[in-house]
Structure formats: C-alpha cells, structure tokens
C-alpha cells in the first residue's frame, strides 16, 4: 500500500464534498501530489467554484437542499472515502428548498447547527458505504505550528486580549454559539453567531474600530471530519478591511490555505498571525517575549 510523507495510506480514489471558496481546489491539488489517482467531486450549484471541474476527474452538481440527490451522486462514483472541504453559507438553512431526505434529517435533530447537521450527514454517508476522512487529510502541511507566523509579534495588550479571547471562544464554541471572538483592550466586541467568521469580524470593526484581536478556535471535542477552522484569503481580506491587528488561532487545529501567500499578505498589511498551542494557552508565543517587536 502506498503511504505518504505522514505515513498515512494513500487511497486510489477520493471524493471531495466541495463547498465554496478555494479549499476544495487546493485539496484536489494536494491529493494529486500525494498520489491519489482518481478524484470525484460533489459540487453545489451557486456555491462551489466552477473551477472544481478542472481539478477532478468527475463532478456532479446538485442544488443546495437536495440531500437525496447528493447521496445518489456520491454513491454513483463508487468511491468509499470522502473529505468535506469548503463552506456552505449558513443562511441557506433558512432559505433553501429542502427535499424529503433533508426534511427527515432536520426533523430528527433537537438542535440544528453545523456540528449536528454535518455530523448527521456524515453518519448517513457511513450507512451508505462512504467514510468521511478528517478534514485535514492531504492538507497536513497547511496546519499551523505554534508560534508567530508573521514578522510582527503581539504587544503586551494584544497578548492579554488573545488570552481573554481564547477563554471566551472555548466557552462559546462549547455551547455551539460560535468559534470566533473579537477583543479590544479587554472588551469583547463580537462573538460569532450564525452569520460566520467574516461577518463577525466586519461587525467588530464597525463597533470598535482599528486594532482589534480576532481569536478563532476549534470546538472542544470537535469532529475531525468537518469541524476544523480554516483561514483563507477571504478571511484575511476581511481582517485587513476591518483594520484588525491580530488573528490568533490554535496550532495543529487550523488550516491556512495558500499558507505562504497568506503570510506575505499579512506582513504587507502589518497584521499579526499567531498560533497558540492548545495544551499551553498561557505559554509565551513561539518562545518570544510577549510584546517584543521585530
């Protein structure tokens, strides 16, 4: 059996359940580099980037809400392993036309959030012979190591705000409220609700102005099949637009898409990117004395 650099077995074929953004495209490229020979994608009309068709060997397009058609398409490929990649706009939950399969699934859930919905879909796929792999599969090199990733390190004030943001984000994510918190000078400006990370950052910028600290974490006990924070160019551009000073994430639990370009853009905008070790949230960042400038 072929294994990759992480000593993980490389499957002959792979399914990508492709949401919006660049993540599905980068995942397809990375899976190819790892040695996957056949890749098929389930894409969503009006959501998935049409470029996915150029990255995979086969693609099936379904509308948002047509869960039965999605199941049928995935099974038709005859591929037993899948990865969920990319987002689906949260507002679709209230706007989409649900087929009978999705209505049945939603009726079975006491609480309706990303964790419960995607978890139920993952379990349903398992019953149909399709196993969801961890969301980080084939993207391990994009996981963040502990430390400051950009030239500028946090100031004392920003470091204190990071610690506060980590505590609050872990609490709110555990309550299925949201995984992103924005802090400035010890004040919580915004907590992510159903609108998603980018709109939370924009809201915080409108409230508190420049210099805020954004903290994004993985939910405690997160489901590795889909519940993994991902930072890409769209989120970074929102940070820059909101004039945020710092983005703090958890190391080894966050994927940076287009890592080198992302860090270069952050450096040009004087935005600090820092990854905190989950098991040592109060440790000094990357061995640097907090507040030191480079």
């Amino acid at each position: 059996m072929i294994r990759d650099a992480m000593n993980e077995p490389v499957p002959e074929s792979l399914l990508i359940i492709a949401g919006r953004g660049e993540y599905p495209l980068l995942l397809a490229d990375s899976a190819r580099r790892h040695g996957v020979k056949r890749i098929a994608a389930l894409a969503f009309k009006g959501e998935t980037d049409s470029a996915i068709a150029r990255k995979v060997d086969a693609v099936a397009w379904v509308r948002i809400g047509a869960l039965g058609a999605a199941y049928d398409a995935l099974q038709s490929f005859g591929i037993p392993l899948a990865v969920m990649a990319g987002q689906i706009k949260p507002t679709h939950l209230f706007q989409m036309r649900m087929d009978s399969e999705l209505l049945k699934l939603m009726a079975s859930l006491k609480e309706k959030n990303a964790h419960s919905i995607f978890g139920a879909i993952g379990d349903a796929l398992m019953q149909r012979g399709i196993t969801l792999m961890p969301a980080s599969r084939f993207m391990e090199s994009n996981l963040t190591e502990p430390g400051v990733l950009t030239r500028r390190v946090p100031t004392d004030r920003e470091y204190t705000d990071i610690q506060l943001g980590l505590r609050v984000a872990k609490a709110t994510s555990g309550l299925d409220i949201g995984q992103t918190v924005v802090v400035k000078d010890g004040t919580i400006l915004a907590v992510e609700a159903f609108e998603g990370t980018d709109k939370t950052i924009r809201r915080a910028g409108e409230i508190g102005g420049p210099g805020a600290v954004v903290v994004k974490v993985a939910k405690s006990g997160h489901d590795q099949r889909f519940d993994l924070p991902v930072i890409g160019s769209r989120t970074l551009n929102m940070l820059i637009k909101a004039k945020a000073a710092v983005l703090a994430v958890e190391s080894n639990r966050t994927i940076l898409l287009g890592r080198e370009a992302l860090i270069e853009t952050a450096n040009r905008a004087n935005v600090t990117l820092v990854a905190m070790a989950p098991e040592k949230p109060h440790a000094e960042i990357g061995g640097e004395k907090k507040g030191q400038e480079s």
Side-chain angles (χ1 to χ4, degrees):
M1 177 181 291
I2 298 175
R3 291 180 176 270
D4 61 16
M6 306 297 295
N7 201 33
E8 293 285 343
V10 177
E12 289 276 327
S13 55
L14 177 71
L15 283 169
I16 296 177
I17 301 174
R20 64 189 172 117
E22 58 191 328
Y23 187 11
L25 310 179
L26 295 175
L27 172 60
D29 288 339
S30 183
R32 294 282 192 203
R33 290 194 297 270
H34 279 74
V36 177
K37 294 180 180 178
R38 179 177 176 239
I39 302 176
L42 177 72
F44 298 94
K45 297 173 183 178
E47 197 80 353
T48 309
D49 191 327
S50 61
I52 193 67
R54 301 193 295 272
K55 300 285 186 177
V56 301
D57 301 294
V59 61
W61 291 89
V62 299
R63 67 170 179 82
I64 296 288
L67 187 57
Y71 287 154
D72 291 344
L74 288 168
Q75 288 184 289
S76 72
F77 291 124
I79 299 175
L81 295 174
V83 175
M84 281 188 178
Q87 296 178 320
I88 301 295
K89 291 178 184 177
T91 52
H92 280 310
L93 180 59
F94 300 104
Q95 298 172 351
M96 64 184 168
R97 177 165 53 91
M98 301 186 195
D99 68 358
S100 59
E101 194 73 43
L102 185 54
L103 285 169
K104 181 173 67 174
L105 181 143
M106 297 296 281
S108 71
L109 301 176
K110 292 183 179 179
E111 297 180 3
K112 298 174 179 63
N113 51 58
H115 189 271
S116 63
I117 294 170
F118 290 129
I121 290 173
D123 294 342
L125 288 174
M126 180 74 76
Q127 295 173 5
R128 290 166 169 78
I130 298 170
T131 299
L132 282 180
M133 304 174 76
S136 59
R137 188 65 184 103
F138 304 112
M139 298 293 285
E140 291 86 355
S141 63
N142 293 81
L143 289 170
T144 52
E145 73 280 2
V148 179
L149 308 179
T150 47
R151 287 192 294 267
R152 176 186 176 275
V153 302
T155 65
D156 285 340
R157 177 190 65 78
E158 291 164 351
Y159 184 82
T160 300
D161 283 349
I162 289 171
Q163 300 302 324
L164 174 58
L166 283 170
R167 293 197 303 273
V168 175
K170 279 297 182 182
T172 58
S173 65
L175 295 171
D176 292 317
I177 296 172
Q179 295 167 266
T180 302
V181 171
V182 187
V183 187
K184 183 176 179 181
D185 294 330
T187 298
I188 306 297
L189 295 178
V191 175
E192 180 183 3
F194 203 64
E195 79 271 39
T197 301
D198 296 346
K199 289 185 177 180
T200 303
I201 295 170
R202 182 174 66 187
R203 177 160 51 91
E206 292 170 351
I207 294 170
V213 169
V214 179
V215 179
K216 187 175 182 66
V217 304
K219 178 182 175 180
S220 297
H222 68 290
D223 192 323
Q224 296 186 30
R225 299 174 298 176
F226 53 83
D227 192 11
L228 191 68
V230 176
I231 303 298
S233 58
R234 187 176 64 247
T235 296
L236 181 57
N237 288 336
M238 184 58 71
L239 284 163
I240 294 170
K241 186 175 181 180
K243 295 182 172 60
V246 178
L247 171 63
V249 298
E250 289 184 292
S251 62
N252 300 313
R253 294 183 182 177
T254 307
I255 289 177
L256 292 185
L257 299 177
R259 177 190 177 88
E260 297 307 318
L262 207 68
I263 293 173
E264 181 181 347
T265 300
N267 278 327
R268 288 199 304 267
N270 203 34
V271 173
T272 297
L273 303 181
V274 58
M276 304 292 289
E279 66 279 8
K280 297 179 180 179
H282 299 287
E284 290 188 352
I285 300 171
E288 298 281 358
K289 180 182 184 299
K290 60 183 184 291
Q292 175 182 338
E293 297 288 348
S294 60

